[in-house]
Structure formats: structure tokens, C-alpha cells
Amino acid sequence: MKRFLLALSLLFSTPCWAQSTADLFGAGKGLEMVGGVLVQAVGAVQLCGLGDEAPWRRAVEAINRRHAHCIAQASGWKALTDKPGVLAGIFAFDLYWKTDGAKARAQGVAAYCHWMPWKLALEPATATEEAKVRFLRERPEVTRNALDEFISLMDYARALGEDTRWIEAPCTDFWPAMKR
């Protein structure tokens, strides 16, 4: 009986090749951040008429490809989403589109388009030093550090779909390192 219980416990225990909880937690926290950024960017493109949706949609697809690649290496990566068979990029986008996207649409064009430096984030060529100083002068409650962090985060999310070498990298870390 003891052998049967031991065999049964081994059968249902987490295999040694499965993803660790820490790996999944870190990847999930990154997915929360990036998913929200992608939805906000697409919402701003649609509501504010700035930039192009294509780079943000490419980032969603890159996340999907990365998730599929990691699942092929270790099935434990399936647990990154709550829905079996749904890849992380579309999962996060759909989840945040229902919440953040709905909030943006409810705020309306004037409010949503005014409160963030969308032009600087959605049209990177416009993020000149002069444009940043002008934005900060118009919005004194925003710190330079906060503005730079916002633009950097948007650049990071966009780059996921532009430089896709990270997709095929070993899945020890789900996300590529953020350049500072």
C-alpha cells in the first residue's frame, strides 16, 4: 500500500522539469505590465489618432510566439495564463482590453488623450528633448523621471515586436532584459 501511495504521489507531484513558481510569477508580473502597456497603446492609437497599431499588434504576436516556444521547452509554461490553450499575448491583451480599454473609452477622447504624453510614446521620433521639456512645462505635476520611465516602458513593449530574437532564446527568463 505504501508503494502505491508513493507511486501515486509521484504521479501527481510537479515534475522536476516543470517551471518553477518563481519563473511563472516573474513572467506573470511582466505580462501584467506589458499587457497593460499594449492595450493602452492600442487604445491611444484608436482614440487619439496618433501612431500606428501595427507595432503593438506585432508585440502581442511576439509574446504568443515566445509563449509557444517556452511551452515546447517545458510544459509548465502553460500555467502562465488562466485559460488552457490560450497563448500569453492574446490572453493579456484580451484581459486588459476588457478593463483598461473600457476605462479609456469611458473617459472619452478628450480626457484620455490629454492626460498622457501619447505622442511622445506612440511616435518615437517626436520624443525629442525639446518636446519632453514642453510637455513637462504644460504638466508640472509630472516628474521628468516619470516621463522618461513611461517612454522607456512604451519603447520596451514596442521593441518586443520589432526585435524578435528574444522569442527563440532559452526560457530561463521569459522576458528580455529591459535596456536602461
Side-chain angles (χ1 to χ4, degrees):
M1 183 67 169
K2 283 185 180 182
R3 285 186 186 176
F4 173 75
L5 292 175
L6 177 60
L8 194 59
S9 70
L10 289 174
L11 179 65
F12 292 109
S13 68
T14 303
C16 61
W17 62 86
Q19 281 320 112
S20 74
T21 303
D23 291 343
L24 288 170
F25 180 78
K29 294 309 282 180
L31 191 58
E32 287 177 13
M33 176 191 69
V34 172
V37 167
L38 295 173
V39 163
Q40 289 179 10
V42 169
V45 168
Q46 291 178 359
L47 290 172
C48 309
L50 299 168
D52 180 12
E53 263 187 62
W56 311 104
R57 297 290 182 172
R58 282 192 301 270
V60 170
E61 181 54 33
I63 296 165
N64 284 340
R65 290 175 43 212
R66 173 66 171 173
H67 192 201
H69 172 75
C70 290
I71 289 170
Q73 287 187 9
S75 64
W77 284 108
K78 288 179 184 177
L80 185 54
T81 67
D82 291 342
K83 295 183 179 181
V86 177
L87 294 174
I90 197 67
F91 172 80
F93 191 86
D94 286 351
L95 177 69
Y96 289 102
W97 189 251
K98 289 175 186 169
T99 56
D100 293 356
K103 287 178 193 172
R105 291 185 299 278
Q107 284 179 1
V109 172
Y112 189 74
C113 296
H114 176 72
W115 67 278
M116 295 295 283
W118 292 121
K119 187 168 183 74
L120 301 177
L122 298 174
E123 299 174 2
T126 67
T128 64
E129 182 62 29
E130 181 183 326
K132 291 177 184 180
V133 168
R134 188 172 42 255
F135 177 83
L136 293 169
R137 201 173 23 248
E138 293 169 4
R139 301 287 307 274
E141 71 278 11
V142 178
T143 66
R144 176 59 189 252
N145 187 48
L147 176 62
D148 289 341
E149 286 291 319
F150 175 74
I151 292 170
S152 177
L153 182 56
M154 297 296 282
D155 288 345
Y156 174 82
R158 181 187 306 101
L160 294 172
E162 293 172 354
D163 181 1
T164 58
R165 292 176 292 182
W166 70 283
I167 294 170
E168 300 293 323
C171 296
T172 51
D173 290 316
F174 189 85
W175 301 100
M178 189 172 196
K179 296 174 185 153
R180 297 273 174 184

